[in-house]
Amino acid sequence: MTTTRQPSGTPLPADAPLARELLDGLAEAVLTTDETGRVTLLNAMAARLLPEITVGTELSRCPVAAVADAVTTGADRFDADHHGRRLRGARRQLAGPRFAWYVRDVTEEHDRADALRAERSRTTFLAEAGNQLGMSLHRHQVLRSTTTLAVPYLADAAVALPRPVAPAEPHARWIRYADGEPAPTDGLAPLTLTSTVPVLAEALAGDLADPVPCRGTEFTDLATMLPPGFGSPGTVLVCPMPGADGSAGALLLVRRTGRPGFDEREIELAREFAARAGAALATADLHDEQAHLARVLQASLLPPELPTVPGVTVAGGYRAAGDTLRIGGDFYEVFPHPRGALFALGDVCGRGVSAAVLTGRVRQCLQTLRLVEQRPLELIHLLNRALFDAPDAARRSQFTTLLLGSLDHSPAGVDVTIAGGGHPSPLLVTADGTVTPVPVGGTAVGALTTARFVETRVHLDPGDVLLAYTDGVTEARGPRDAEIFGEARLHAALASAAGQLPAALIDRVLRAVDDWLDGQAHDDIAMLAIRASVPT
């Protein structure tokens, strides 16, 4: 027996059957070529993966195009799809002008990589969809985002059919986006749309749990909802969009005839996407409803248009805290009567909707009680009792500070009687620029059943102004060290506006506060300025 030696000197037997057995046991294909480029050896895996190649085949002219191209161009590697398998080959030079090709079946590896990329793509798509839909707080915006997100990733065109806002609407509205369109468009669906496709009617009614693929020919009315020139739809996937209390609508994903239909993974992806769209649509509907209620509440709480009162000039200023609802707990009212007028300015404890509700209650109580009592001190006692008599009085800890006054005008000016309930003292601004607090004090209204209220009187000469304000003015905090605006700055602003009409005086104070805030958030602000008219 002849032997060969490894570099280490260990002898190896020249056993051809053993070498063949070792080669045939390899998991990759091995073939060798001689100096002419013809195949001299193939193992069993090579015969299985590349049956067109046999011993003696000239590789540069073999039927396997990828192999032939690699040999012709001198490439050391190739990738090929062959007989439904993904092959990857590498060349290594042997002794002399001979070569060995090692070919692996990487189909499973390639499929796993494709599946991983597809899963990452789906995850990225759903994450992007979640972000965009989550930022859409209006119904129409959600529908536009739904259709644009679905194209072209899921379909060539997407048609969203939301559940009608009014059940009596005869036509279903739709919004559509198709690949290549600059923007979504909308319209009214034919009356026969749901009757021609029963599965669509089930989706809109909330009776369809999962997406259902349909042939495009089943949708006889679909052409009216697709752009001109779109062509014949091949497959339509009807996806229910579930909402909080049933169906939020249906989403039609339309693919052209030349595009493959929806596989199981795509149907599952469409189901999850439509579910997110339905949840976003339900959230948008809830947001729209809350915004509508807030607008109604805001309209009821906005300061009233002030009436004309003989002998005085009155102006008000109001700014809700910097929130989106624009409703707050500061308020003012002026109620004329034959001798002059009653006025009120208050600051309800808290902010937002809860404060606004109490504000409405206080204002309604004043509207009613002033019909039976017009003396400020007696009226504020009645208001305190009315707040405690409310059904939920025992469950709340809300109160309001309040100034409640009466105006009696005469040729000599205006006599003002003011009852106070824990509110900052109003300021008397004379024509010469002197600013003087009018002490009132008292206990907040609605805080105690045995509350103590104080009444005081002040006389306004012609040209004098009485300013009532809430603490949102003096407690406005600037950007530097959060220092408050304070009473000194308020007095200075009023002194600089002495002699002006009430509206100009309030405007001067608001501008001074704005300059101090420099864009910072602020509490509710309300002011009421009353000026004794100057005889003409």
Side-chain angles (χ1 to χ4, degrees), residues 148-463:
T148 53
L149 283 166
V151 176
Y153 189 78
L154 289 174
D156 299 308
V159 181
L161 291 157
R163 185 182 63 181
V165 177
E169 289 184 4
H171 292 269
R173 298 201 65 88
W174 54 261
I175 183 167
R176 176 209 73 221
Y177 180 71
D179 194 14
E181 286 191 304
T185 186
D186 56 14
L188 293 175
L191 289 172
T192 57
L193 179 65
T194 55
S195 61
T196 55
V197 187
V199 69
L200 177 58
E202 293 177 12
L204 291 172
D207 298 329
L208 188 66
D210 298 308
V212 175
C214 304
R215 295 188 305 274
T217 53
E218 297 180 46
F219 284 79
T220 56
D221 294 318
L222 186 59
T224 61
M225 296 185 289
L226 295 176
F230 181 83
S232 176
T235 306
V236 180
L237 188 66
V238 181
C239 306
M241 292 195 295
D245 55 351
S247 172
L251 176 65
L252 306 182
L253 300 176
V254 186
R255 289 185 173 179
R256 291 186 171 95
T257 303
R259 185 170 177 177
F262 296 88
D263 60 28
E264 290 184 5
R265 285 188 175 184
E266 290 173 326
I267 292 176
E268 175 60 24
L269 178 61
R271 183 196 65 78
E272 188 166 351
F273 172 67
R276 296 190 181 195
L281 192 59
T283 301
D285 286 344
L286 179 61
H287 177 269
D288 289 344
E289 181 180 354
Q290 291 177 335
H292 172 71
L293 292 176
R295 287 192 296 269
V296 173
L297 182 58
Q298 177 185 351
S300 68
L301 294 175
L302 286 176
E305 182 177 349
L306 295 177
T308 300
V309 180
V312 298
T313 305
V314 183
Y318 173 81
R319 287 187 185 171
D323 56 19
T324 55
L325 293 180
R326 308 302 298 164
I327 53 180
D330 290 9
F331 65 94
Y332 58 80
E333 295 277 1
V334 176
F335 307 112
H337 59 67
R339 301 183 311 277
L342 282 171
F343 71 88
L345 182 134
D347 183 356
V348 166
C349 173
R351 291 176 59 180
V353 174
S354 60
V357 170
L358 184 57
T359 300
R361 178 181 298 167
V362 171
R363 292 174 65 181
Q364 287 296 323
C365 287
L366 286 174
Q367 285 275 5
T368 304
L369 294 174
R370 57 105 181 179
L371 299 177
V372 297
E373 180 58 72
Q374 296 178 357
R375 292 171 296 175
L377 187 59
E378 286 74 8
L379 182 55
I380 203 169
H381 276 288
L382 288 175
L383 176 62
N384 188 67
R385 187 187 308 170
L387 293 180
F388 274 96
D389 286 345
D392 63 341
R395 298 192 299 273
R396 63 175 172 80
S397 58
Q398 291 182 309
F399 56 86
T400 180
T401 63
L402 184 68
L403 290 177
L404 192 58
S406 66
L407 306 174
D408 293 288
H409 66 87
S410 67
V414 177
D415 292 316
V416 185
T417 302
I418 308 171
H423 199 83
S425 299
L427 300 175
L428 174 62
V429 184
T430 60
D432 62 2
T434 302
V435 179
T436 306
V438 180
V440 177
T443 305
V445 181
L448 299 170
T449 54
T450 57
R452 182 182 67 87
F453 303 113
V454 179
E455 186 176 80
T456 188
R457 290 176 173 80
V458 63
H459 177 77
L460 303 183
D461 290 328

